[in-house]
Amino acid sequence: MVKTAAQTLDDFAQAKLEALEAQALRRRLIETDRREGAIAFRDGRRLVSFCCNDYLNLSQNEEVKRAAIEATGKYGVGSGASRLVSGNHPLFRTLETRLADLKQAEDCVVFGSGYMANMGIVPTLMREGDLILADELSHACLLSGSKLSGARIEIFRHNDMAHLRALLDAHRNAAQHCLVVTDGIFSMDGDAAPVEEMAEIAAQHNAWLMTDDAHGIGVVGHEGRGSSFMGATKAAVPLQMGTLSKAVGAYGGYLCASKAVCDLVRTRARTLIYSTGLPPATAAAAIAALDFMRTNPDYCRRPVEKAKAFTRALGLPDPESPIVPLILGDAEVTLAASAMLEKEGYLVTGIRPPTVPAGTARLRFTFTAEHDDADIARLATLVRERILPRRAAE
Ligand SMILES: *Cc1c(COP(=O)(O)O)cnc(C)c1O
């Protein structure tokens, strides 16, 4: 019997899933109920989450929640249409001004998410005949946005400035415009890009530097201003992109840049023009969260301090961010380690390819301001006694 199109579609999906399952690469959504203080409930069990990017626990902050509730009461739930169609809500202007101030930029544009920001910004600036240089560990959406632009893409080795220079020397002249992209803080490794040196190299080659500061805002740099502010003075990064969904606790993406660049992005970025604006509650929550950060700079230092307590307990180097990876290599070994920790009451999701390069599956621990020191100590003991010996034996 000839199969129908619907059957061949299902067969295709099933075969793909089975192949992924065989490599321990199938993914599943697990019902998890997040609460205050990095607590999560799964199957009725109370777990302490060490895998959330809510570094300042602002998604559960009372002032932030109140701001969202009040905005919903006043303005309703959805925003009705694209900001260019139904009008720009005053909350957007406030939010963009706060972000531009934080990043010491002239202007700011807010997008529906960080992913959409990168899918909109890069193709607005780059096209065929241009050159994009990307760190090999750049976030998936920076690479997707780069591909979508049609520009030539060259990948440099992670944080390898000699390689970046070599690629610029080899390819810069053949291109009209050139963009260098990198995570400011690398999402799966937790290390920082050398943004000051990158800014210098980019300037020498008339290349534009764009940093994705998704994991930097709120937790690194002077007063939690992010990866451009880790040195004595602000690094000259003309395109500071990031998300409001991590330390800021809400949702949405942003670009902080000059007025001309932001005006161009507002005019041309397809993910801004053809996508509905953020809900008022989300914009209001982000504003309240940024206000909280500005008035509590000491609190912004806590996630990195907590991460440091963990690495010190394990004799590992001090972290540059609240993200601490423990590379185990094998996907199955990683899933088993994660399951062991979950049994002990700690939620630490295993990270597998293609999120990370093949052979580098890992546990990714993230630390938040509200984590209990006793939990961190116990987690470190579990890792030292039950995971590290196995890793050494592999
Ligand atoms: C999470 C993340 C994004 C995507 O941001 P969303 O707002 O969640 O879409 C982009 N870049 C990096 C480096 C990230 O870690």
Side-chain angles (χ1 to χ4, degrees), residues 113-115 118 139 141 183 187 212 214-215 241 243 245-246 251-252:
S113 72
Y115 203 109
N118 281 336
H139 192 265
C141 60
D183 286 17
S187 56
D212 178 336
H215 297 276
M241 172 273 163
T243 172
S245 63
K246 286 162 185 164
Y251 200 64

Side-chain angles (χ1 to χ4, degrees), residues 66-299:
R66 198 177 321 117
I69 292 164
E70 276 173 14
T72 301
K74 201 162 160 192
Y75 305 116
V77 176
S79 64
S82 163
R83 295 166 59 189
L84 288 117
V85 173
S86 58
N88 198 37
H89 201 284
L91 286 170
F92 283 117
R93 226 347 47 200
T94 308
L95 176 55
E96 288 172 343
T97 305
R98 292 283 207 289
L99 283 164
D101 286 350
L102 182 79
K103 297 288 185 178
Q104 295 177 7
E106 237 172 57
D107 200 358
C108 171
V109 197
V110 165
F111 287 77
S113 72
Y115 203 109
M116 289 215 285
N118 281 336
M119 296 296 279
I121 298 161
V122 182
T124 296
L125 300 174
M126 307 306 281
R127 60 178 201 170
E128 221 182 303
D130 294 334
L131 171 68
I132 297 175
L133 295 144
D135 186 290
E136 64 181 333
L137 298 186
S138 297
H139 192 265
C141 60
L142 265 180
L143 298 172
S144 298
S146 297
K147 274 190 202 150
L148 191 62
S149 76
R152 171 177 187 161
I153 303 171
E154 293 288 336
I155 304 289
F156 58 92
R157 286 186 295 272
H158 177 51
N159 277 351
D160 185 336
M161 294 301 103
H163 194 205
L164 172 61
R165 277 182 207 275
L167 289 174
L168 279 163
D169 288 340
H171 304 294
R172 174 65 187 97
N173 286 344
Q176 189 181 10
H177 301 300
C178 178
L179 179 71
V180 178
V181 299
T182 183
D183 286 17
I185 297 293
F186 286 87
S187 56
M188 295 299 135
D189 294 76
D191 54 341
V195 287
E196 285 182 299
E197 192 182 347
M198 288 180 95
E200 232 167 80
I201 295 170
Q204 284 162 4
H205 292 82
N206 186 23
W208 307 327
L209 176 60
M210 172 164 162
T211 55
D212 178 336
D213 210 31
H215 297 276
I217 188 172
V219 289
V220 304
H222 181 60
E223 298 175 333
R225 288 171 194 265
S227 58
S228 305
F229 298 85
M230 293 173 87
T233 55
K234 185 193 169 211
V237 182
L239 300 157
Q240 300 181 84
M241 172 273 163
T243 172
L244 304 168
S245 63
K246 286 162 185 164
V248 182
Y251 200 64
Y254 64 84
L255 172 69
C256 289
S258 68
K259 174 139 190 354
V261 168
C262 289
D263 278 345
L264 177 66
V265 165
R266 274 187 277 266
T267 305
R268 298 287 294 185
R270 294 169 67 87
T271 52
L272 180 82
I273 299 170
Y274 300 113
S275 186
T276 302
L278 284 176
T282 308
I287 293 166
L290 292 169
D291 285 346
F292 178 92
M293 281 163 43
R294 197 188 47 205
T295 47
N296 295 277
D298 290 344
Y299 189 85

Side-chain angles (χ1 to χ4, degrees), residues 50 52 55 303 306-307 310 322-324 365-369 371 376 379:
F50 283 96
C52 187
Y55 302 116
K306 302 270 178 185
F310 178 73
I323 303 165
V324 179
F365 299 89
T366 56
F367 295 84
T368 73
H371 271 126
I376 294 172
L379 181 67

Side-chain angles (χ1 to χ4, degrees), residues 21-24 329-338 352 361 390:
E21 181 88 58
Q23 300 167 266
D330 182 71
E332 265 174 81
V333 170
T334 302
L335 293 185
S338 169
R352 295 167 284 167
R390 282 207 60 182

